[in-house]
Amino acid sequence: MRDKILVFGGTTEGRLFASKLEELGIPHVVSVATEYGKTVEEESGEASLLVGRMDSSAIADLLRSGEFAAVVDATHPYAIKASQEIKSACEKESFTYLRLLRKTADSEANEGNVTYVEDVTDAAKELEKRAGNILLLTGSRDLKEITSKISDISRVYVRIIPDVASIEKCHEAGLRGRQIIAMQGPFSAAMNEALIREINASVILTKESGEAGGFSEKLRAADNCNAETIVIRNPEKNDTTQDGLEAGEILEKILAILGKEPLEETSKTITLGGVGPGDERFYTAELSKALKEADIVFGAKTVLERINGISAPQKDWYEGEKILEFLKEHQEYKAPLVVYSGDISLCSGAKKASAIFEEVGYTVKKITGISSVSLFAARIGAALEDVTIISNHGRDCDVCGFVRKNEKVILLVNSAEAALETAKRLPEECRVTFGCELGTDIEKISVYGAEGFLESDVKGKTLMYIENPAAIENKLIPALSDDEIIRGDVPMTKEEVRSLSIRKLGLTKDSILFDVGAGTGSISLEAALTDPGVKVFSIEKSEKAIELLYKNRDKFGLENMEIVEGKAPEALSGLPRPSHVFIGGSSGNLEEIIRSCKRDNGPVRFVVNCVTLETLGKTMEVISAMGAANTEVVQLSAARFKEVGSYHMADGMNPVFVIAFEV
């Protein structure tokens, strides 16, 4: 009797689909390729399994057994050969073939250090071009093909599932020992980040695998580590020949094939709510109602500890994937609630969780809460419309840069200890107010450095209110005069030339600038002062100049300026790909420096200063051969007038050629 569904699985969406068949009482068998896949399926509660890879002939033999009514292909989107074999067998035996597609359309990875490629071959070519250590997060299937195109595989590391077959493939690819990291997912962004930092990876390779494959967690980790990401596109995403369906559509087709009634429309709803900064005094009426109506409550342990008087069971989870897996196994819960600290619209994990629930068909109800920022502002009498709100909670943030530009700043910090360290780094004219454990019985508001101030009072969840009266006096265009810069006897790009060079660079928010041959750091300083979102890397080989770079950076308190000691292009290895490059001195390595800085996913803006005609000629020759675009050449001649007795005499500066172009 043909009443079973044959599911080719081994993926998260395959397991979820099989569990739905089980819930509906539809007989099924799940086919997985490996023993590891069998173990994972069994751990998720699947009992009816076939294990081992099958070609189209073996699949056809299975279909002729007379048990199966339809085939669901829930294999990995990148397992193209497997899908071809399954589809071929179904066509041969005139069986219904249903392809379950994985959603990857919401994967936002179109900015920063991300390069898309079409396949493994292109990915390997891109990796060979990159310097530094490589972390492969694409599994073991194509390892040999990748490593065969990388000349130095000693810099390659791979994360694989912990099974013998995968380790054998690593050995076949030439990888040994600590190059092989065998771990079972899912992996959080923090775990990915720890791994990237542990092996000092400058580039990672991943697949466009959507939320089910932890795609966003990999991208976020790479971005936090300033590592570049190569992404192999989902081959099914733009394949017009692939008639893929979502899980609900496939279920409807299966029910029709089996002669069963279609599913009743059931609306799955989950509520995400902010509990405010403290105890129940700061719950909104909407949240109080949701707490009473919820039949299960999820949240971080520290948040659940603040909730009293509810009879519903509680689970100390806040990750969307974990909660979703639980709810699929426990269909009895119809009114789940996930609670988050503060307001879910401000620095909250609710953003990611909401996307995960919506992707599988949940209606997500969102309850905003009172944020700790709002309560803090009310406590100290600050008007939020006059305040800039920033956060370095789990992210990089140039606090001093924002304080330099804004008179009033509220900062959400990682910890009380970090808050104290930040206060010590701020300019003396700043006034800092700490708000600790806001909304609780141990709430404490204190002013840093005031009479009676104790560092021991700064503890627990902490916010900072920073007032900088000098910010209003700062120049809108942060140009520095030459006498503001500590110079010593190191050559410096003069003020007039700096002004034009910075203008021609055309820096944008979140630019990454390489200042090659930084000298005293005059270009680096002005660029870093432009906006706290600009990240500057000052590359210099001279010990005298390096000493001045540190002094000047400290003088202006620039946290977004990093000094790199060494000679370019070698010193550029391991740095993030730049969006802008200023070259004040190349030591004869101009072409090599440009090639090292060039990106494949967008042009880099270069500005080169030349003093001699020979350097100008060589520069034009190099950039012409490289196909530079939007080239501009300006000869700048300037003279400053100085007093000589009762007269003002011209003191001419050497002419300088300012060359701007894109490669």
Side-chain angles (χ1 to χ4, degrees):
M1 180 179 178
R2 295 183 180 274
D3 63 347
K4 290 184 181 178
I5 305 301
L6 177 57
V7 180
F8 287 89
T11 58
T12 301
E13 57 269 35
R15 287 191 291 278
L16 294 175
F17 185 80
S19 68
K20 186 64 177 177
L21 292 177
E22 182 71 26
E23 177 192 334
L24 295 173
I26 298 175
H28 63 279
V29 175
V30 177
S31 174
V32 293
T34 65
E35 287 294 328
Y36 177 79
K38 174 189 175 186
T39 300
V40 175
E41 292 287 345
E42 287 175 339
E43 287 176 353
S44 68
E46 184 59 58
S48 184
L49 289 163
L50 292 173
V51 183
R53 299 186 189 280
M54 291 186 282
D55 59 16
S56 61
S57 177
I59 296 170
D61 288 342
L62 183 61
L63 297 180
R64 284 195 293 269
S65 68
E67 291 184 79
F68 301 105
V71 172
V72 176
D73 179 5
T75 58
H76 198 282
Y78 293 81
I80 299 172
K81 186 177 179 181
S83 288
Q84 289 172 342
E85 296 288 333
I86 298 166
K87 192 171 186 180
S88 173
C90 289
E91 289 173 350
K92 181 180 178 181
E93 299 299 322
S94 300
F95 254 75
T96 300
Y97 171 84
L98 301 168
R99 175 57 175 155
L100 177 61
L101 287 183
R102 174 182 291 188
K103 288 187 178 181
T104 59
D106 295 329
S107 299
E108 298 178 2
N110 299 312
E111 55 182 286
N113 295 330
V114 181
T115 301
Y116 279 97
V117 295
E118 296 303 322
D119 53 32
V120 170
T121 301
D122 290 344
K125 291 177 182 177
E126 291 297 327
L127 292 171
E128 172 65 6
K129 297 176 187 176
R130 270 60 174 182
N133 288 343
I134 298 166
L135 176 59
L136 306 180
L137 300 175
T138 49
S140 62
R141 181 189 298 271
D142 303 304
L143 266 180
K144 195 170 183 179
E145 183 176 353
I146 294 171
T147 57
S148 67
K149 293 178 174 61
I150 297 175
S151 54
D152 179 13
I153 65 169
S154 68
R155 60 193 185 96
V156 176
Y157 296 78
V158 60
R159 186 171 71 195
I160 57 169
I161 57 176
D163 72 341
V164 173
S166 295
I167 293 174
E168 286 176 350
K169 287 182 179 179
C170 292
H171 290 166
E172 290 171 7
L175 304 180
R176 296 288 187 275
R178 69 185 303 268
Q179 290 178 282
I180 304 169
I181 300 121
M183 302 173 69
Q184 181 174 336
F187 302 103
S188 65
M191 183 171 286
N192 288 330
E193 185 174 337
L195 180 55
I196 292 170
R197 294 191 188 281
E198 174 64 25
I199 68 169
N200 192 28
S202 61
V203 58
I204 71 169
L205 175 66
T206 185
K207 295 175 180 176
E208 190 184 18
S209 51
E211 288 297 339
F215 185 53
S216 61
E217 286 82 357
K218 296 171 188 174
L219 291 177
R220 197 177 321 124
D223 187 53
N224 289 343
C225 296
N226 289 322
E228 189 172 359
T229 304
I230 309 295
V231 179
I232 303 174
R233 292 186 187 278
N234 177 2
E236 293 182 331
K237 199 169 180 180
N238 299 312
D239 186 357
T240 56
T241 66
Q242 180 65 267
D243 298 323
L245 300 169
E246 294 186 6
E249 296 172 305
I250 291 179
L251 281 172
E252 292 296 342
K253 287 183 176 294
I254 287 173
L255 291 169
I257 290 169
L258 297 175
K260 295 179 179 288
E261 291 294 321
L263 292 173
E264 292 183 12
E265 285 294 325
T266 56
S267 177
K268 297 183 294 183
T269 302
I270 190 166
T271 302
L272 312 184
V275 302
D279 53 36
E280 62 271 13
R281 292 174 295 165
F282 299 97
Y283 295 173
T284 62
E286 191 177 12
L287 177 72
S288 296
K289 184 172 182 287
L291 286 168
K292 291 177 182 177
E293 295 176 350
D295 54 11
I296 188 168
V297 180
F298 301 92
K301 186 177 181 181
T302 54
V303 177
L304 293 176
E305 287 172 348
R306 291 158 46 192
I307 297 174
N308 299 312
I310 59 171
S311 56
Q314 301 176 24
K315 295 284 184 184
D316 60 346
W317 306 328
Y318 59 90
E319 304 94 336
E321 300 94 336
K322 212 178 237 186
I323 295 170
L324 183 61
E325 193 69 30
F326 178 86
L327 291 176
K328 287 194 177 294
E329 294 175 3
H330 297 273
Q331 300 283 331
E332 66 270 21
Y333 295 114
K334 306 298 181 185
L337 169 66
V338 189
V339 289
Y340 297 88
S341 181
D343 178 12
I344 60 171
S345 64
L346 182 63
C347 302
S348 174
K351 178 181 178 182
K352 180 186 174 185
S354 177
I356 291 170
F357 295 129
E358 287 173 348
E359 186 175 342
V360 295
Y362 272 86
T363 298
V364 179
K365 181 181 178 182
K366 300 175 183 177
I367 299 176
T368 58
I370 297 172
S371 74
S372 55
V373 169
S374 298
L375 182 59
F376 191 29
R379 290 284 194 258
I380 60 179
L384 282 179
E385 66 269 23
D386 298 330
V387 175
T388 297
I389 302 168
I390 60 175
S391 170
N392 64 2
H393 185 71
R395 61 196 298 181
D396 291 330
C397 178
D398 178 10
V399 176
C400 290
F402 280 100
V403 170
R404 187 166 51 245
K405 283 185 165 290
N406 298 279
E407 191 177 358
K408 299 171 183 177
V409 171
I410 288 181
L411 170 66
L412 290 83
V413 293
N414 277 322
S415 64
E417 293 76 18
L420 283 166
E421 288 301 315
T422 299
K424 293 171 184 176
R425 292 199 309 271
L426 293 170
E428 290 183 2
E429 61 268 22
C430 291
R431 183 176 188 267
V432 179
T433 304
F434 294 106
C436 303
E437 293 294 346
L438 296 168
T440 70
D441 292 336
I442 58 170
E443 177 183 298
K444 180 77 175 180
I445 306 288
S446 54
V447 177
Y448 181 66
E451 185 178 352
F453 173 79
L454 297 173
E455 288 194 4
S456 58
D457 287 337
V458 181
K459 56 188 176 183
K461 293 182 178 178
T462 302
L463 279 77
M464 298 173 67
Y465 177 58
I466 306 167
E467 298 170 278
N468 180 16
I472 200 168
E473 300 171 3
N474 287 340
K475 304 168 188 173
L476 288 176
I477 301 174
L480 297 174
S481 61
D482 287 347
D483 57 10
E484 291 180 85
I485 300 170
I486 304 169
R487 179 174 179 180
D489 58 356
V490 174
M492 178 176 70
T493 303
K494 298 287 177 51
E495 184 176 339
E496 293 76 10
V497 181
R498 286 201 307 275
S499 299
L500 180 62
S501 297
I502 291 288
R503 168 70 179 81
K504 291 298 182 184
L505 275 170
L507 296 172
T508 57
K509 192 173 182 64
D510 298 328
S511 291
I512 297 176
L513 170 67
F514 285 3
D515 180 7
V516 181
T520 60
S522 60
I523 290 286
S524 294
L525 296 172
E526 293 216 25
L529 285 166
T530 301
D531 189 273
V534 173
K535 179 67 175 177
V536 178
F537 293 87
S538 309
I539 295 94
E540 180 55 59
K541 63 178 182 177
S542 164
E543 291 185 7
K544 286 185 179 179
I546 290 168
E547 184 179 349
L548 288 174
L549 281 170
Y550 282 108
K551 288 181 179 178
N552 279 312
R553 185 184 68 176
D554 293 344
K555 176 181 178 180
F556 293 97
L558 296 173
E559 296 182 356
N560 57 336
M561 174 180 162
E562 184 173 326
I563 298 164
V564 180
E565 302 180 21
K567 181 180 178 182
E570 294 81 8
L572 309 182
S573 176
L575 299 181
R577 292 283 177 177
S579 56
H580 300 76
V581 179
F582 176 81
I583 303 177
S586 65
S587 300
N589 297 322
L590 181 65
E591 182 174 356
E592 292 81 358
I593 292 170
I594 294 173
R595 290 194 185 281
S596 180
C597 295
K598 184 177 179 296
R599 294 192 306 190
D600 296 308
N601 60 332
V604 178
R605 181 73 171 171
F606 289 84
V607 170
V608 180
N609 282 180
C610 302
V611 178
T612 68
L613 286 172
E614 288 76 14
T615 307
L616 171 66
K618 178 63 176 175
T619 301
M620 296 305 295
E621 178 185 333
V622 168
I623 67 175
S624 176
M626 297 182 73
N630 301 320
T631 302
E632 304 173 63
V633 182
V634 178
Q635 183 188 26
L636 179 64
S637 298
R640 297 177 183 174
F641 285 78
K642 60 182 180 180
E643 290 186 16
V644 179
S646 59
Y647 296 92
H648 288 78
M649 300 290 292
D651 183 12
M653 292 183 286
N654 292 327
V656 176
F657 297 97
V658 178
I659 309 167
F661 58 94
E662 294 178 358
V663 175

